[in-house]
Amino acid sequence: MNKNSSNTMALAPNTSNKRETVCIFGTGDFGRALGHKMIQSGYPVVYGSRSTQISNLIPKDAEVLGHTEAAQKASIIIIAIQRQHYNFLTPLAEVLHGKVLVDISNNLKLNQYPESNAEYLAQLLPGSKVVKGFNTVSAWALQSGTLDASRQVFVCGDDVEAKQMVMNIVRALSLTPVDKGSLLAAQEIENYPLQLFPMWKLPIFLSLGLTVFFFLYCLVLDVICTYIYEKNNFAFFIAIAIPNRVCPVVALILLALVYLPGIFAAIIQLYRGTKYRRFPDWLDKWMLCRKQLGLIALAFASLHVVFTLVTPLRAFVSWRTGKGIISQALNNKTEPLNYTNAWISDSYLALGILGYFLFVLLGITSLPSVSNNVNWREFRFVQSKLGYLSLILCTAHTLVYGGKWFLSPSAYKWYLPNIYILSLIVPCAVLVVKFVLIIPCIDKPLVKIRQGWERNPKYSE
Ligand code: NAP
């Protein structure tokens, strides 16, 4: 076979790729931006507008006609008009009959109307095939080309063929269509752009709450208590010393909270003897924001790394080191190297470095560009196995740092435990229960349940 023949074929113009004309009702911000992008992608665009006067803002290769004439030229009509003006479409029912109408509208409030805008449009024009789509993309992003943040376009509709046509346009614009099912999903799609960091809310509030709590805790123990009993003014600790205690503590607790819902889920499944019953809502929500919890934990751990690296630059640390050297010189005595301390400090640093390295690896694999390139098993291996290893290393890092000192009475100022002791409660609990769950006599039934086995099957033969 001629090796070049396929190349020749590929280079030959493909006339069947000619795009179908698309009609856009409305020459506002979104209509213009979408039209511009469509023309760039090879679609002939005709606008249906109240005014047929051409303005400089309208893409120059587009035609502008009255609504009826424009609708007659295309089988897909994009309605780039606010919902409150949809009434003007009713007299056009005949010309719009059998056509695909794409509802791109958004609202100003969550669940603003009893039915979604797309369902309302379908009620107004029962002879047309309504598809919801494009509402999660902004006009600015379409026009400026900065669509990296969200290339996904949620699409839903009752007519499968119509939905496919819209999804093909989405793909042609280099966006990614996500089929959300029937028109019933339209309300959810319309609410989506109105939500403010929905998956981040809980992790952000939780991390802020923990940060404030531990900051005040350290302030009381390290600054106020020291001032009252030792008359030392260590208020400058609030700049670096206290944040460098709070950050690792919050990071470790948040990392443990990433794995805690999985533990609860396993216990619930073992107790119920089935995986076919829904988890409680709070657990579902918690599971859904594990990635965000992990990323915030990584941010806190990174801050801890930076604060630790600048420690030798601190005036307080230089003063303390100098004081130690001068006292040895005055006593004319060199302190021998304490090998136990040398082992402890090197070990806790090594554990911290390894734990942080795995933590960064987890963060990197959670990025969509990376996770899209690994299969489900590889993703689970990194997120579960390496994740637990990172939790073990970070917990060990804290334990070794505390060492015997955790048991010393001086670690309990005002009968309060040091924050490092508090930081170990959740991670140690998670690790102990996880260890119990992987004991074969518990792990085996759990694996069976996760493969679909039920202790008391509902539909037994
Ligand atoms: P816009 O700039 O206000 O444009 C709306 C267009 O609707 C007007 O330019 C006008 O076009 C037409 N119109 C206004 N009143 C009308 C009436 N009484 N009867 C018939 N047509 C009328 O709004 P937009 O920002 O383009 O938004 C349009 C739709 O896209 C909205 O539903 C919005 O929720 C949705 N959306 C917008 C964005 C965005 O980033 N802007 C993103 C996603 C979704 P003519 O003068 O040509 O008739």
Side-chain angles (χ1 to χ4, degrees):
M1 197 182 144
N2 182 359
K3 238 176 133 194
N4 290 332
S5 63
S6 60
N7 289 347
T8 323
M9 295 259 300
L11 289 171
N14 185 353
T15 42
S16 65
N17 269 351
K18 196 175 178 306
R19 312 271 195 208
E20 209 188 312
T21 301
V22 174
C23 169
I24 301 177
F25 274 6
T27 55
D29 293 338
F30 197 83
R32 288 195 314 267
L34 190 61
H36 183 74
K37 183 89 184 158
M38 285 191 159
I39 289 170
Q40 275 182 346
S41 308
Y43 284 96
V45 171
V46 54
Y47 281 100
S49 173
R50 292 167 302 172
S51 153
T52 51
Q53 262 186 343
I54 297 274
S55 95
N56 285 344
L57 296 170
I58 293 172
K60 71 174 181 340
D61 291 326
E63 225 181 323
V64 185
L65 302 172
H67 292 113
T68 310
E69 299 78 49
Q72 278 163 347
K73 291 207 161 196
S75 55
I76 298 186
I77 295 139
I78 294 170
I79 314 290
I81 292 168
Q82 272 93 356
R83 169 189 167 130
Q84 60 269 30
H85 306 309
Y86 279 4
N87 278 337
F88 92 96
L89 293 165
T90 325
L92 303 175
E94 205 175 314
V95 68
L96 297 177
H97 188 87
K99 307 230 171 193
V100 179
L101 303 187
V102 186
D103 179 287
I104 58 153
S105 63
N106 281 321
N107 293 321
L108 297 175
K109 282 192 275 176
L110 286 172
N111 302 318
Q112 190 171 346
Y113 301 99
E115 74 292 275
S116 66
N117 299 346
E119 286 168 305
Y120 172 63
L121 183 62
Q123 282 165 20
L124 283 180
L125 301 161
S128 306
K129 301 164 192 170
V130 175
V131 176
K132 181 87 206 173
F134 287 109
N135 66 309
T136 49
V137 182
S138 79
W140 179 80
L142 271 176
Q143 197 134 26
S144 59
T146 42
L147 278 165
D148 286 346
S150 178
R151 288 189 168 270
Q152 288 188 337
V153 173
F154 299 130
V155 180
C156 75
D158 292 338
D159 189 294
V160 178
E161 213 178 305
K163 199 161 56 176
Q164 267 313 323
M165 286 167 77
V166 176
M167 288 182 23
N168 287 343
I169 295 183
V170 173
R171 275 188 214 101
L173 302 189
S174 305
L175 301 170
T176 315
V178 180
D179 188 347
K180 295 292 253 180
S182 75
L183 217 53
L184 288 175
Q187 188 111 32
E188 191 189 322
I189 300 181
E190 283 168 17
N191 282 339
Y192 185 83
L194 295 171
Q195 289 171 347
L196 190 65
F197 300 122
M199 292 299 155
W200 286 90
K201 250 187 206 154
L202 180 68
I204 287 174
F205 282 131
L206 194 67
S207 49
L208 280 180
L210 286 171
T211 308
V212 171
F213 171 75
F214 284 119
F215 188 87
L216 294 175
Y217 197 86
C218 288
L219 192 72
V220 169
L221 292 190
D222 299 340
V223 179
I224 300 176
C225 182
T226 315
Y227 184 74
I228 293 175
Y229 289 107
E230 298 166 22
K231 291 284 170 266
N232 279 327
N233 184 357
F234 286 156
F236 61 89
F237 273 16
I238 60 173
I240 288 189
I242 294 182
N244 200 20
R245 278 166 205 238
V246 174
C247 288
V249 164
V250 176
L252 184 60
I253 296 177
L254 291 180
L255 182 61
L257 290 179
V258 171
Y259 293 98
L260 191 55
I263 300 268
F264 281 137
I267 294 172
I268 291 175
Q269 286 177 334
L270 276 171
Y271 174 74
R272 291 176 173 170
T274 178
K275 70 165 187 177
Y276 296 114
R277 271 173 64 195
R278 272 199 61 182
F279 291 129
D281 266 1
W282 58 268
L283 188 55
D284 262 345
K285 280 190 190 134
W286 191 351
M287 301 257 240
L288 285 174
C289 64
R290 283 181 295 179
K291 174 176 157 182
Q292 288 73 8
L293 274 173
L295 287 175
I296 295 180
L298 178 59
F300 274 92
S302 305
L303 275 176
H304 171 49
V305 171
V306 176
F307 280 130
T308 306
L309 289 176
V310 300
T311 298
L313 304 177
R314 293 176 61 210
F316 176 69
V317 174
S318 325
W319 169 80
R320 209 174 45 184
T321 315
K323 207 174 120 188
I325 295 168
I326 290 167
S327 109
Q328 287 186 46
L330 288 176
N331 294 330
N332 200 15
K333 196 177 133 209
T334 312
E335 296 266 340
L337 175 66
N338 183 330
Y339 284 93
T340 315
N341 281 350
W343 263 110
I344 291 177
S345 83
D346 280 11
S347 309
Y348 99 79
L349 286 173
L351 287 165
I353 291 167
L354 289 175
Y356 181 69
F357 172 74
L358 289 183
F359 210 161
V360 171
L361 211 64
L362 291 178
I364 293 173
T365 43
S366 71
L367 297 174
S369 54
V370 180
S371 58
N372 288 346
N373 284 309
V374 291
N375 67 29
W376 176 234
R377 200 163 169 212
E378 291 162 341
F379 183 75
R380 272 196 54 134
F381 173 78
V382 175
Q383 294 297 324
S384 175
K385 303 279 186 307
L386 294 189
Y388 266 109
L389 189 58
S390 168
L391 182 61
I392 292 171
L393 290 170
C394 295
T395 309
H397 167 68
T398 316
L399 267 169
V400 176
Y401 174 77
K404 280 191 260 167
W405 179 66
F406 277 167
L407 304 172
S408 134
S410 65
Y412 294 85
K413 289 179 194 166
W414 281 347
Y415 303 104
L416 292 171
N418 190 291
I419 62 160
Y420 293 114
I421 303 177
L422 296 182
S423 75
L424 285 167
I425 298 172
V426 187
C428 287
V430 169
L431 291 175
V432 169
V433 183
K434 178 68 184 172
F435 182 73
V436 173
L437 288 173
I438 57 171
I439 297 173
C441 63
I442 300 178
D443 185 50
K444 265 192 188 160
L446 186 60
V447 171
K448 261 172 71 182
I449 289 170
R450 286 183 173 168
Q451 285 170 348
W453 175 83
E454 287 187 281
R455 199 182 304 130
N456 302 310
K458 204 172 164 192
Y459 304 105
S460 52
E461 287 159 31

